[in-house]
Amino acid sequence: MPIRLRVKAAHFYCCFCSIHVYNCNDNIRIKKNKVRLQHSAAIQCIIYLDNKVFVSLANGDLAAYRRDSAGGWETSKPSTITLGSATTPITRMLAVQGKLWCGCQNNVLVFNPCTLSVEQTFAVCSDVSRAVLHMASFGYGVWASVQNSAVIKLFHSLTYECIMEANMAPSVAKMLAGCNDIIRQHKAACLRITALLCCKDLLWVGTSAGVILNLAIPHLTASATPYPVLAPNVAGISHGHTGHVRFLTCVEMTPKKHLTAKTKQASKGRSVRRRGSISVASRVLVISGGDGFEDFQHFASNDSAGRDDSTNHLLLWQV
């Protein structure tokens, strides 16, 4: 799957073992790439942090691209650090409190982008066969999930303490209560987390069952004292996907400007002054992508069931 990252004056587009660098304003469908960077292994993740671009490879290496003295990118001499191996590559990266959290097998490696070294390592789960696949951060909390699991865990971003864990299976089962017995049993048997997103004090959770859940994010402080965090109240969203939730993301909507008709021309400078009011409340769209569309309150009849199961759908919520 191609990976895209927009970084100021450059646009990094990754596919398999190559990175294609474009101008930010270029249309990549009709413009030729400025630079093509070839790597020895497939590209897993790409992220921008501390004026560097970090690229994780399937062989366990982490490549770091810096800027040169003129402000361009030193594409010919990336720093390469080995953090994993071909059997334990970096499967997920996330910028947290100025550090780079790297999911490497069942562990998280806290990487310093300035010294290019690992500062801390901790286990997300005890099962070494389950790799860290999804992470999302908000404030001093980082949510994480591992491979083939319906459990999410909340870690403190400074102490790396596991504060809370929650199983999404009961909430998903509740949303699937009205569907066909065979489908419900199949989805329950292979249930896992497929996407995580923090947006406006809510954690959005995508699942392999197509159900999207959200829960309030607890407020954490920088203190290392224990936190009396209660079990989260997980709520299911009535609309989701028939198949897997492939991704969750959010975009901020541009506020509309409401200008009055009153203008005034200055006597000396002959400038025009406008009085206007801008809507202060920012609106955000949460977007999910997945296979098919499902209304979990009104399941499709036998005649229409399966008609659009394989069609990719985007669902949008305004929050």
Side-chain angles (χ1 to χ4, degrees):
M1 178 181 293
I3 305 170
R4 266 199 260 184
L5 174 68
R6 183 172 180 144
V7 180
K8 293 185 179 179
H11 193 141
F12 287 72
Y13 183 90
C14 303
C15 189
F16 300 108
C17 300
S18 301
I19 299 178
H20 301 265
V21 183
Y22 293 84
N23 221 315
C24 258
N25 297 322
D26 286 349
N27 184 341
I28 64 175
R29 295 181 179 179
I30 59 175
K31 290 280 188 177
K32 182 178 173 58
N33 58 290
K34 293 176 61 179
V35 182
R36 180 182 176 182
L37 311 176
Q38 189 70 28
H39 286 275
S40 59
I43 293 163
Q44 301 283 94
C45 310
I46 180 169
I47 192 170
Y48 176 76
L49 177 64
D50 193 36
N51 212 25
K52 302 180 185 72
V53 171
F54 293 93
V55 180
S56 67
L57 306 176
N59 61 2
D61 287 349
L62 180 67
Y65 289 91
R66 308 169 185 261
R67 291 188 183 274
D68 55 28
S69 57
W73 291 100
E74 291 184 350
T75 55
S76 60
K77 297 179 181 179
S79 300
T80 303
I81 309 97
T82 300
L83 298 182
S85 65
T87 56
T88 59
I90 299 169
T91 51
R92 185 75 171 94
M93 294 194 296
L94 182 69
V96 180
Q97 301 288 336
K99 303 296 173 65
L100 186 63
W101 284 34
C102 303
C104 188
Q105 201 57 27
N106 63 319
N107 298 316
V108 167
L109 312 180
V110 181
F111 187 81
N112 189 318
C114 297
T115 62
L116 299 182
S117 61
V118 176
E119 291 187 345
Q120 183 74 26
T121 301
F122 64 92
V124 175
C125 71
S126 58
D127 190 347
V128 295
S129 66
R130 296 177 183 263
V132 177
L133 291 187
H134 306 286
M135 291 190 291
S137 67
F138 185 87
Y140 290 102
V142 180
W143 297 87
S145 67
V146 298
Q147 186 178 11
N148 298 327
S149 174
V151 175
I152 58 174
K153 294 185 178 182
L154 174 62
F155 293 88
H156 194 278
S157 63
L158 300 180
T159 65
Y160 316 119
E161 172 191 2
C162 182
I163 299 169
M164 180 179 66
E165 66 177 77
N167 190 348
M168 299 293 104
S171 300
V172 171
K174 184 178 179 181
M175 296 299 296
L176 297 176
C179 77
N180 180 278
D181 290 343
I182 297 177
I183 296 177
R184 183 173 65 250
Q185 293 170 10
H186 171 72
K187 288 189 174 185
C190 58
L191 182 64
R192 61 189 183 277
I193 305 300
T194 57
L196 292 176
L197 172 70
C198 291
C199 180
K200 284 203 168 185
D201 297 327
L202 283 177
L203 175 69
W204 294 66
V205 183
T207 67
S208 58
V211 176
I212 300 171
L213 309 164
N214 57 32
L215 58 144
I217 298 176
H219 175 69
L220 303 181
T221 64
S223 172
T225 56
Y227 300 90
V229 179
L230 302 176
N233 182 19
V234 182
I237 300 177
S238 58
H239 296 98
H241 298 277
T242 308
H244 299 176
V245 178
R246 299 294 180 184
F247 68 86
L248 286 167
T249 189
C250 62
V251 293
E252 188 171 354
M253 301 171 64
T254 305
K256 293 181 179 180
K257 297 180 179 180
H258 304 285
L259 299 177
T260 62
K262 187 176 181 179
T263 59
K264 185 178 181 179
Q265 186 172 351
S267 57
K268 292 184 179 180
R270 302 186 63 83
S271 61
V272 177
R273 297 161 58 184
R274 293 183 180 179
R275 294 180 182 178
S277 62
I278 302 175
S279 55
V280 185
S282 62
R283 294 288 184 178
V284 175
L285 283 179
V286 173
I287 305 171
S288 74
D291 305 335
F293 168 75
E294 193 72 76
D295 184 348
F296 293 106
Q297 291 184 335
H298 305 92
F299 282 92
S301 63
N302 293 332
D303 295 336
S304 59
R307 183 178 300 168
D308 296 324
D309 289 1
S310 60
T311 305
N312 294 327
H313 281 69
L314 291 179
L315 306 182
L316 292 81
W317 292 268
Q318 184 172 299
V319 296

